[in-house]
Amino acid sequence: MPPAPAAAARLSADPLIRLRVDGADVEVPDDDLSLLDVLREHLQLRTPKDGCSPQGQCGCCTVWVDGAPRVSCVTPVRRLAGREVTTVDGLPPEVRQRWADACTQVGASQCGFCTPGIIMRLAALGGPGHDGARGVPDAKVHQALLAHLCRCTGWQTVVEAAHLAFEGSGAADAPPRDPVAAARRAAIEGRSPQRVGPEVALGAGSFADDTAPADAAVALPDGSGGYVVADSAAEARAKRHKVQGRRTTIELSHPVVVPPGSWMLTLQTTWVEPAYVEPDASWCLPGGEPASPCANGGAFGGKRHSPLPEVARRLSTEHQRPVRALWSREDVVRLGPKRPPIAAGMAPDGSGVLRVGVSGDGPAAWWEELERAVARVAPGLSVEPFAVIGPPVSGDPRGAGWAEAAVLAVCASTVGSSGPGPHRDVPVEVVAPDGGRAVATYGSDDAITVSVAAGEVLDDVTLRSYCIGAVHQALGWVRSEGIAVDAEGAVHDLTIRSFGIIPARSVPPITVIIDRDGGGEPVNGSDAVFASAAAACWLADGLVPTWPTRTTGTR
Ligand code: FES
Ligand code: FES
């Protein structure tokens, strides 16, 4: 177990609050702070994560208070005098180990940002003392997971890990794995360096804001293009214009107009939030190299061009001290690039036009890459930019542009050969631009099967986990995800719950078959799964021409 937190130094004139954290007595100033602020900022405990504070919606900051799970970002520390707080660091060693092994064994933790909070929630289902329970039903696990968000895993492996942990089986039953090969597969699938192992599940993924020096200043966007810099996160929040996240009643819009033509299939989509759970963060020492916001996972491309490393570098030089540059959840939604809205038409012969919504000054550096990728998967489609008023967009989020093109091409081919549908039990194949191949089938029983060929497998557990996560993302993309944008281009869906991500209890059973026949160099397989599963879902749902197709009950 990591060392117990040291008692906080008495630095302010405020009265002290005394509580126990992970078995140690601590005193913290009564500064009107949340428990999460106290844990991360005062006590330097970095396993509870901040994915959305103060929204209280992602669950990443979940800890126990007197043995019951609590979302620490909305828990005022003032109410906790004399109480017992437990983070994942303070769990009994055998409980920690059991959950870490269970998550590792089935690939229930990819980037790992959400996992410590999920472990704290699920371990609390384990009965008296939370150290053992048998036969916790799926429905109870699903209910508990409603308080959490995971963008990577697609939930199924999380539920599997819960069963393993509750049944008491663990690493001893698991076939041996090569952590280096697993990390290599994870990096290929996530398109960013990633560790694989029990320490990641326990919150030690070395995310940028977890490795920042304790004495670093904090920089936050000021709402007008600059950054406020202060000694602490609480001071920086107080200094800047406060923008509280909210859920909107504004409807989703489809700003790109379908190109004129005589089409067999048309598709219109809206802006989609990449919705990675770890907000952008970096830090830098004066004259040093900034920490990467992609230290353990790159949000499937979503953080590829995060501006925060350069912000941290510049401000650390300006202020001649270490600086943490952070985005809150609302900042990520307002400032981070979205999957662009599109509109397209495709004729029976596979020819057609794909319009991609671009805001600001028009197509940027990613445009040529997008055109090349579309040409690989749907050579009959011409691609054209379409000016829209809205948040920044990019070709970086998973398969942006080419996955839409691939979906149109395979669905048009199915309609051409088998009629307008709906179609279930039909295998749908997509070969991604970099060679990964996937065949997805949406069954009459609502179960989804995907077969994936991605060269040398390296690690079955990791590849399977990423493919399940890709199916989950695909279903959300087709059916429920999108963010509302008003006529002036302002995003209104600022809370993490409003993005339309499908909860654990609504994910159908997913079976992954790994096709080893081709062998060869390992390539990304889950992006092909993402596109093929989206196509299979769209065919199953009857090719409704606007996405998301079903928002009721999910947004
Ligand atoms: S950070 Fe507390 S719920 Fe998201
Ligand atoms: S593993 Fe859950 S958000 Fe990445």
Side-chain angles (χ1 to χ4, degrees):
M1 188 187 301
R10 177 91 166 89
L11 296 176
S12 79
D14 297 310
L16 290 174
I17 295 174
R18 295 180 172 80
L19 63 159
R20 281 176 73 76
V21 176
D22 291 343
D25 292 318
V26 300
E27 294 180 330
V28 295
D30 183 4
D31 278 345
D32 205 19
L33 295 175
S34 71
L35 174 58
L36 181 61
D37 267 337
V38 164
L39 295 173
R40 286 188 63 87
E41 307 291 327
H42 282 255
L43 301 178
Q44 304 296 315
L45 291 173
R46 300 284 166 84
T47 50
K49 310 298 184 200
D50 181 350
C52 72
S53 74
Q55 295 180 358
Q57 294 192 353
C58 74
C60 296
C61 64
T62 302
V63 298
W64 291 349
V65 175
D66 295 340
R70 287 278 280 273
V71 176
S72 64
C73 71
V74 290
T75 301
V77 77
R78 184 169 291 167
R79 295 203 197 132
L80 301 182
R83 314 275 296 267
E84 178 90 40
V85 173
T86 308
T87 73
V88 81
D89 297 333
L91 287 174
E94 67 282 5
V95 177
R96 268 170 62 83
Q97 196 62 46
R98 179 166 1 112
W99 280 93
D101 288 345
C103 289
T104 309
Q105 189 173 332
V106 294
S109 186
Q110 290 181 16
C111 76
F113 194 80
C114 67
T115 319
I118 289 175
I119 288 177
M120 296 309 286
R121 175 82 50 185
L122 295 181
L125 298 176
H130 309 327
D131 55 357
R134 299 288 182 271
V136 173
D138 276 2
K140 209 168 166 188
V141 174
H142 289 159
Q143 183 66 28
L145 290 175
L146 284 178
H148 293 264
L149 211 76
C150 175
R151 188 52 158 172
C152 304
T153 64
W155 297 120
Q156 185 167 302
T157 51
V158 176
V159 178
E160 291 167 359
H163 286 304
L164 281 179
F166 289 136
E167 285 155 16
S169 53
D173 307 319
R177 291 171 67 193
D178 174 352
V180 175
R184 193 171 157 214
R185 173 50 72 186
I188 291 169
E189 298 305 323
R191 300 193 183 277
S192 182
Q194 208 163 115
R195 277 174 292 283
V196 177
E199 72 283 2
V200 175
L202 293 173
S206 298
F207 302 103
D209 199 43
D210 293 354
T211 57
D215 63 345
V218 176
L220 295 171
D222 64 4
S224 51
Y227 281 76
V228 297
V229 180
D231 283 338
S232 71
E235 281 177 48
R237 284 197 296 267
K239 266 174 89 171
R240 74 169 177 168
H241 173 58
K242 182 76 186 74
V243 183
Q244 181 64 48
R246 60 192 186 274
R247 188 174 183 141
T248 183
T249 51
I250 291 181
E251 293 295 321
L252 299 180
S253 56
H254 297 83
V256 185
V257 177
V258 175
S262 180
W263 309 121
M264 178 172 67
L265 273 184
T266 63
L267 174 62
Q268 277 181 294
T269 67
T270 186
W271 291 272
V272 176
E273 170 60 38
Y276 41 85
V277 181
E278 179 203 1
D280 298 51
S282 181
W283 62 271
C284 194
L285 299 173
E289 273 305 304
S292 169
C294 304
N296 204 42
F300 304 98
K303 285 186 194 164
R304 192 168 156 199
H305 292 109
S306 173
L308 288 195
E310 285 316 308
V311 172
R313 187 200 301 275
R314 174 173 59 77
L315 293 175
S316 65
T317 300
E318 245 172 57
H319 292 263
Q320 279 304 296
R321 61 181 292 193
V323 172
R324 294 157 63 195
L326 307 176
W327 278 358
S328 70
R329 176 56 51 189
E330 289 91 338
D331 297 325
V332 173
V333 186
R334 287 177 190 281
L335 305 174
K338 313 300 159 215
R339 184 182 199 90
I342 64 103
M346 184 168 266
D349 65 357
S351 65
V353 178
L354 172 68
R355 287 177 164 173
V356 179
V358 291
S359 46
D361 297 333
W366 47 269
W367 186 260
E368 284 181 19
E369 201 178 319
L370 182 146
E371 280 185 318
R372 274 196 300 274
V374 170
R376 297 287 294 270
V377 299
L381 272 184
S382 64
V383 189
E384 54 186 50
F386 189 94
V388 295
I389 299 170
V393 296
S394 158
D396 290 338
R398 178 172 236 162
W402 75 255
E404 286 86 341
V407 166
L408 279 162
V410 292
C411 290
S413 161
T414 303
V415 170
S417 59
S418 309
H423 295 283
R424 294 193 172 210
D425 304 309
V426 175
V428 180
E429 178 176 291
V430 168
V431 178
D434 51 7
R437 183 170 55 82
V439 181
T441 308
Y442 200 110
S444 315
D445 55 357
D446 274 329
I448 295 175
T449 303
V450 290
S451 158
V452 60
E456 186 187 351
V457 176
L458 298 171
D459 183 71
D460 287 55
V461 172
T462 304
L463 181 55
R464 173 179 181 268
S465 173
Y466 274 85
C467 290
I468 291 171
V471 173
H472 173 250
Q473 287 186 16
L475 297 184
W477 179 38
V478 175
R479 289 181 170 164
S480 56
E481 292 188 32
I483 52 173
V485 175
D486 69 18
E488 281 73 50
V491 179
H492 282 244
D493 277 323
L494 296 173
T495 62
I496 202 160
R497 290 275 153 190
S498 57
F499 304 155
I501 294 170
I502 295 176
R505 66 180 178 190
S506 305
V507 180
I510 300 164
T511 302
V512 176
I513 299 164
I514 297 176
D515 177 353
R516 299 163 199 280
D517 282 355
E521 273 300 295
V523 295
N524 181 296
S526 55
D527 287 358
V529 168
F530 174 70
S532 64
C537 175
W538 197 33
L539 284 164
D541 287 357
L543 301 165
V544 178
T546 54
W547 292 5
T549 57
R550 313 171 175 180
T551 54
T552 311
T554 50
R555 296 190 74 246

